[in-house]
Amino acid sequence: MDTFVQQLINGLTIGSIYALIALGYTMVYGILRLINFAHGDIYMVGAYAGYLLAIYLGFDANPSIFGFIVVLLGAMLVAALIGMAIERFAYRPVRKFSRMTTLITAIGMSLFIEYLFVFIFSGTPRSFPQLLQNDNYTIFGNATISTSQILIFAVSILLMVALQYIIFRTKIGKAMRAVSFNLNSAKLMGVNTDFVIAFTFALGSALAAAGGVLTAQYNPKIEPLMGIITGLKAFVAAVLGGIGNIPGAVLGGLLIGAAETLVVGYGSYIGIPSTYRDAVAFAILILVLLIRPAGLLGTNVQEKV
Amino acid sequence: MSSWLKSLIIGIVVIALLYVLNGMMSKGGFFGAGIDDYTARLLVFIAINIILATSLNLINGFTGQFSIGHAGFMAVGAYSSAYFTVNYGKQLESAFSFLGETGASSIILIIAIVIGAIVAAIAGAIVGIPSLRLKGDYLAIVTLGFAEIIRIVILNIDAVGGATGYQVPGYANFLWIGIFAVITIVVVHNIVKSDAGRALVSIREDELAAEAMGVNTTRYKVTSFVISSAFAGIAGVLFAHYNKFLSTNDFQFIKSFEIIIMIVLGGMGSMTGAVVGAIVVTLLPELLRQLPAIQVGASTFQFSDLRLVIFALILIFTMILRPQGIFGTAEIGNIYRRFRNKLGKPGGLE
Amino acid sequence: MLTLENVSVNYDAIEALTDISLTVSQGEVVTLIGANGAGKTTTLRTITGLLEPRNGRITYEGKEISGMATHRLVPMGIAMSPEGRGVFANLSVRENLDMGAYIRKDKKGISDDMERAFTLFPRLKEREKQKAGTLSGGEQQMLAMGRAMMSRPRLLLLDEPSLGLAPLLVHTIFEAIDNIRSEGTTILLVEQNANAALHHSDRAYVLETGRIVMEGDSKQLAADPRVKEAYLGE
């Protein structure tokens, strides 16, 4: 039985991944009020993009930190482009229609990506190459933390800080926030809203892809449907934190990751078998939506009659 | 001819047709004419999907509440009824043996359906009452969440098979499945055409205004949700007892999405649309399977492998090009009347 | 400065504007009056590119701008205070004003203009750090107008600035309009409050169910018996 600290480390590791993906959900919802169901699949696309890049550039035979960085950035770039393409060709034409229509388009896009990847790569999992040596370090007495876990924490924090900077200290970030408050008014301020929306998709997709590559280092098995459950949980994380709220997405991700791991680790003491792991996120979702739909950090915007 | 008599005649014809088809599906065929197993299975699934699509349309299309957890209620109906028949079926068979084998099976099936419908309805109430306070996207996600929890809970109940699956006695046949498909259509149609139906549509159009006009929106929303769930449960019972095997993999949210696709393609808010949508979505993957393979370079691509990709693309393009679906909110009756009017023949009010 | 020639706009099958022609010359205050639903807001939304005209031409400072994307009009010198104010509710008053200067890069100029906005609307200075969503209707209107001025527009479009405001605030708003005009900005004002609008403008157009039915000098229109009966309640 792992110690509490060990559970926490593991939980926060997976939580960081949820956080990275959740950021994409929350940003897109913030500016378009759209739940991008296909976003979880971008996480999978990122993993595969990294996988292909690693093999094509030969880093699987010569692992190095340089290789890892190239693969990570490459996957992020590919995902950003794909995310922008999805927005431009599938979501923009239906923006003017009802919310249900856009939601269904997003569902369709998610299915399309999943089935396309099953078609191309078949359902059998692939093994993501080990790009960095994986060592285990002992900390806090008898808890261990592996290199890939440290990597996840480090890269996640780096990316989140970068995102924070972009959103709160740059002009495009200002524009993103304005668009999220009032699209038409933002246009009247001179903001090129189509560009801002595309940029938001690019950012979110890049983060999800980073999550995919980092996860693949931690757990090398990748398969086309890996984005479904992870994506859904990341979405729950975004809702938990307050959808549209950026620090909320991070908080939500870490909390879900921790909760999940702790329930699996200690749940048997209170009668919850570990096979209920996936249900934890959904149970949290329901509790949040019924008790406090605005989420932990979200502000409840009252609908004006 | 009075409309009551018309309905009766149509009812008899339909049941006779179902009876004949059912006979053709059995081993000896219907006086020699038979339907192969593959086609039979297809027809059965069309009927089951009609039940699912029509019932979902009641809550999504007519009441405008976006629920994407329908598979959860199907699962509840399937597993609850299966538990009953697995554990009490044999006893009931002996008890009703005086009715003959088909008679006894039918009775047991009816009981199973009642059980499944009631349990699913209760589940619908449990999910619906707290959730229907939410709107739009939030309602969609919460129903999805509930459906997933239902599935995971069932997965963990060893008494109904757990991860290995559950063997179920085969009390259902096409006749009964078809009859219940017809019953579903008739019931939902009657609801929609009634005063209650207009209240539901008013909730869809503008809930605030409906409330202001005295419509108890909460009561209507929950009731239509519960009815819709009950029918999903019935579909689950029929599926379980035809397929003779249950696995929670059949009830993942992809199944809920499938039903959504049916009503969206057909046109939410149209009964005809739901039926047509169910037929199209059931047949399309199978039709695509029939297409020949194409050669690209050294690899051969089977269309059948691409069929799900094409399926998803059809959904996306429908949303972009014709978001209201094939029928929009029109019904076959309206279209027929308008067509007759265009031809200058008397055909009803215009 | 601004010309609309035979502009028609549809909302799906419904024709909202039919054959609208109007001009606004530099330095003028022109007002568009009419009943609810006459098409006044539609006109402004078409000029600013939020709606696309089915027919006709819109020209600004000699260049055709019909159907041009909204954000490209702002650097050209057009700004609008929209119907319903459209303030950024979760941002503070100051941040809203700052957002109005989005296209500008001159820090000193922006800061000067912000001071000017506070001078124009002292109430805003008091609530400088407050979130815009918590302001009263009148204050939000002041904010919307101040924000529109932050891009240093040459043409300012005002959509129903007095809507829903108490008479005292209406007076303040129109005083501000006079101030803005005296500083050289051209104004196209859309108003339901015909009385105030006609008293604070040079020329006027009367819009009825999507068509221009009358036009002319504001003072003359104010004295016109038809206008008096239909719009001035006399």
Side-chain angles (χ1 to χ4, degrees):
Chain A
M1 173 54 61
D2 286 330
T3 62
F4 178 75
V5 177
Q6 185 68 64
Q7 304 279 20
L8 207 58
I9 293 175
N10 295 342
L12 291 177
T13 305
I14 186 108
S16 304
I17 303 290
Y18 290 151
L20 283 177
I21 305 174
L23 283 167
Y25 275 120
T26 226
M27 286 197 288
V28 167
Y29 189 84
I31 55 159
L32 279 184
R33 304 291 178 271
L34 164 75
I35 300 174
N36 183 7
F37 263 102
H39 186 63
D41 300 296
I42 301 288
Y43 156 81
M44 176 272 292
V45 171
Y48 270 93
Y51 167 79
L52 291 173
L53 271 173
I55 292 181
Y56 185 70
L57 294 175
F59 290 121
D60 53 335
N62 304 312
S64 66
I65 191 139
F66 169 73
F68 174 76
I69 294 177
V70 168
V71 164
L72 179 67
L73 292 177
M76 286 170 72
L77 182 64
V78 168
L81 293 172
I82 292 180
M84 287 197 285
I86 291 177
E87 190 278 317
R88 178 68 188 78
F89 295 113
Y91 296 159
R92 199 184 296 185
V94 298
R95 233 190 264 165
K96 51 185 184 284
F97 298 138
S98 72
R99 292 268 277 275
M100 249 188 240
T101 307
T102 47
L103 201 57
I104 293 167
T105 312
I107 293 174
M109 181 52 71
S110 169
L111 295 176
F112 172 68
I113 297 176
E114 286 160 20
Y115 294 143
L116 188 67
F117 272 72
V118 168
F119 177 71
I120 298 176
F121 292 101
S122 93
T124 29
R126 307 265 177 129
S127 195
F128 197 93
Q130 200 73 21
L131 294 171
L132 291 172
Q133 209 172 352
N134 210 4
D135 299 313
N136 283 316
Y137 303 95
T138 317
I139 57 169
F140 297 127
N142 51 359
T144 55
I145 188 167
S146 66
T147 320
S148 43
Q149 281 180 311
I150 296 175
L151 201 65
I152 291 177
F153 285 129
V155 176
S156 301
I157 292 174
L158 202 72
L159 289 174
M160 289 178 206
V161 167
L163 184 71
Q164 194 75 357
Y165 179 82
I166 293 177
I167 293 187
F168 289 102
R169 289 197 181 272
T170 63
K171 194 146 176 155
I172 183 86
K174 215 187 334 190
M176 283 168 73
R177 281 182 292 139
V179 170
S180 76
F181 295 135
N182 193 322
L183 184 85
N184 277 343
S185 290
K187 285 188 190 179
L188 293 170
M189 308 286 104
V191 172
N192 184 342
T193 50
D194 284 340
F195 178 76
V196 168
I197 292 171
F199 184 77
T200 309
F201 268 84
L203 270 186
S205 303
L207 290 173
V213 171
L214 289 169
T215 306
Q217 278 298 283
Y218 181 54
N219 174 4
K221 191 180 86 163
I222 62 171
E223 44 100 11
L225 301 182
M226 69 192 261
I228 300 180
I229 280 285
T230 310
L232 216 56
K233 291 183 195 173
F235 177 71
V236 174
V239 172
L240 173 63
I243 192 131
N245 186 304
I246 289 177
V250 177
L251 181 64
L254 295 173
L255 283 175
I256 300 253
E260 209 176 74
T261 315
L262 290 173
V263 163
V264 170
Y266 296 110
S268 47
Y269 295 132
I270 53 172
I272 305 177
S274 59
T275 39
Y276 276 97
R277 179 199 193 106
D278 289 346
V280 172
F282 295 116
I284 293 178
L285 173 72
I286 290 170
L287 286 171
V288 170
L289 286 179
L290 296 183
I291 300 174
R292 196 189 151 93
L296 294 172
L297 301 181
T299 40
N300 217 340
V301 184
Q302 284 288 52
E303 201 181 309
K304 253 201 151 163
V305 183
Chain B
M1 194 190 302
S2 84
S3 71
W4 184 91
L5 194 57
K6 232 198 274 183
S7 306
L8 186 63
I9 293 180
I10 294 176
I12 293 176
V13 169
V14 168
I15 294 187
L17 187 65
L18 291 173
Y19 183 77
V20 168
L21 283 171
N22 186 47
M24 289 166 81
M25 292 181 192
S26 64
K27 288 225 178 13
F30 191 77
F31 297 113
I35 296 179
D36 63 285
D37 288 342
Y38 174 73
T39 316
R41 202 174 163 79
L42 215 55
L43 287 173
V44 164
F45 278 110
I46 288 178
I48 293 180
N49 284 336
I50 287 179
I51 299 178
L52 289 167
T54 311
S55 57
L56 184 67
N57 208 12
L58 180 64
I59 186 74
N60 281 26
F62 289 105
T63 321
Q65 305 301 302
F66 204 15
S67 156
I68 52 177
H70 218 48
F73 301 117
M74 187 186 176
V76 167
Y79 277 93
S80 58
S81 64
Y83 183 78
F84 168 74
T85 50
V86 165
N87 291 299
Y88 300 104
K90 283 272 172 280
Q91 295 159 276
L92 284 170
E93 274 178 55
S94 354
F96 287 109
S97 55
F98 62 89
L99 290 171
E101 203 187 307
T102 12
S105 297
S106 302
I107 297 276
I108 299 174
L109 182 66
I110 302 282
I111 299 175
I113 286 176
V114 170
I115 293 177
I118 291 177
V119 180
I122 294 174
I126 296 176
V127 171
I129 292 175
S131 310
L132 288 164
R133 288 188 279 136
L134 303 169
K135 305 266 182 345
D137 305 337
Y138 288 123
L139 175 63
I141 309 154
V142 96
T143 52
L144 184 61
F146 268 116
E148 275 300 287
I149 289 190
I150 289 174
R151 186 182 65 84
I152 294 173
V153 167
I154 292 177
L155 184 61
N156 279 288
I157 299 178
D158 287 322
V160 286
T164 36
Y166 201 39
Q167 304 271 31
V168 181
Y171 292 125
N173 61 18
F174 178 73
L175 177 61
W176 281 114
I177 297 176
I179 289 178
F180 272 94
V182 172
I183 291 178
T184 313
I185 295 177
V186 169
V187 168
V188 174
H189 180 78
N190 282 339
I191 294 176
V192 167
K193 283 274 167 268
S194 72
D195 284 340
R198 282 186 304 165
L200 294 178
V201 173
S202 76
I203 295 175
R204 175 186 80 197
E205 293 303 313
D206 191 333
E207 194 169 330
L208 229 55
E211 185 79 39
M213 282 191 275
V215 174
N216 186 339
T217 55
T218 313
R219 192 161 63 97
Y220 275 102
K221 284 197 290 187
V222 174
T223 312
S224 90
F225 194 79
V226 166
I227 294 176
S228 159
S229 313
F231 276 107
I234 294 177
V237 176
L238 294 169
F239 169 74
H241 292 90
Y242 180 83
N243 201 42
K244 296 190 243 183
F245 181 76
L246 281 180
S247 151
T248 52
N249 289 335
D250 292 318
F251 301 105
Q252 292 177 321
F253 50 89
I254 190 75
K255 182 80 194 154
S256 293
F257 285 172
E258 214 177 272
I259 310 172
I260 298 265
I261 293 174
M262 290 176 211
I263 60 173
V264 164
L265 275 179
M268 286 200 282
S270 162
M271 297 266 333
T272 326
V275 173
V276 169
I279 297 174
V280 169
V281 169
T282 319
L283 286 180
L284 199 58
E286 303 306 317
L287 286 175
L288 287 173
R289 216 197 280 265
Q290 310 291 346
L291 288 173
I294 46 174
Q295 201 90 19
V296 177
S299 2
T300 318
F301 287 111
Q302 280 286 108
F303 261 107
S304 56
D305 298 331
L306 261 181
R307 76 184 195 277
L308 295 172
V309 179
I310 295 176
F311 199 49
L313 276 175
I314 290 177
L315 182 63
I316 297 175
F317 277 112
T318 307
M319 286 297 98
I320 296 177
L321 299 170
R322 197 177 162 83
Q324 68 270 49
I326 303 174
F327 283 93
T329 45
E331 301 288 351
I332 217 163
N334 304 350
I335 298 173
Y336 173 66
R337 248 170 270 136
R338 254 187 290 160
F339 181 66
R340 287 197 85 193
N341 281 348
K342 266 213 176 115
L343 294 178
K345 300 195 190 105
L349 301 168
E350 253 308 273
Chain C
M1 194 185 218
L2 175 76
T3 325
L4 270 71
E5 294 168 78
N6 305 105
V7 171
S8 298
V9 177
N10 282 40
Y11 280 122
D12 286 333
I14 304 173
E15 191 156 85
L17 291 183
T18 314
D19 228 22
I20 302 281
S21 296
L22 59 88
T23 52
V24 181
S25 308
Q26 183 141 15
E28 275 194 308
V29 176
V30 173
T31 180
L32 202 58
I33 60 173
N36 229 346
K40 311 188 297 297
T41 300
T42 310
T43 310
L44 286 189
R45 300 187 86 209
T46 311
I47 296 173
T48 49
L50 294 170
L51 286 173
E52 213 169 303
R54 200 172 48 89
N55 280 330
R57 234 156 60 108
I58 307 177
T59 338
Y60 170 73
E61 289 184 341
K63 285 175 74 178
E64 179 162 350
I65 61 167
S66 339
M68 208 187 255
T70 314
H71 66 271
R72 290 172 59 192
L73 298 174
V74 182
M76 290 172 73
I78 301 180
M80 173 157 94
S81 166
E83 187 194 24
R85 285 119 224 185
V87 297
F88 297 118
N90 280 327
L91 293 179
S92 71
V93 167
R94 173 166 273 269
E95 286 172 321
N96 264 275
L97 291 173
D98 192 52
M99 199 55 217
Y102 178 76
I103 54 163
R104 293 169 61 182
K105 296 182 175 57
D106 51 322
K107 283 218 167 89
K108 179 81 174 54
I110 295 176
S111 143
D112 287 343
D113 285 346
M114 212 176 280
E115 284 315 308
R116 213 166 54 125
F118 287 135
T119 320
L120 200 56
F121 300 114
R123 281 272 272 276
L124 290 182
K125 181 79 184 159
E126 291 165 39
R127 312 216 185 288
E128 194 180 335
K129 294 208 170 42
Q130 224 176 297
K131 284 216 192 305
T134 60
L135 297 177
S136 73
E139 289 158 353
Q140 285 191 9
Q141 184 56 60
M142 294 186 223
L143 179 56
M145 282 172 68
R147 187 183 62 176
M149 291 305 295
M150 290 300 294
S151 60
R152 280 220 186 132
R154 295 194 287 286
L155 173 64
L156 177 67
L157 307 174
L158 296 172
D159 198 342
E160 309 234 23
S162 77
L163 195 61
L165 298 186
L168 193 60
L169 278 166
V170 173
H171 179 75
T172 315
I173 297 289
F174 276 95
E175 236 182 26
I177 292 179
D178 290 337
N179 266 322
I180 294 171
R181 179 258 182 79
S182 67
E183 284 177 6
T185 313
T186 312
I187 299 178
L188 175 58
L189 168 71
V190 149
E191 253 304 332
Q192 230 188 106
N193 185 338
N195 203 349
L198 289 175
H199 278 106
H200 290 264
S201 57
D202 301 319
R203 288 190 304 114
Y205 293 87
V206 179
L207 208 58
E208 229 170 75
T209 50
R211 285 173 203 276
I212 303 226
V213 296
M214 258 194 268
E215 58 185 90
D217 183 87
S218 291
K219 285 200 183 53
Q220 286 180 343
L221 280 179
D224 187 305
R226 291 171 295 169
V227 174
K228 283 167 93 159
E229 194 187 313
Y231 299 102
L232 300 178
E234 284 158 36

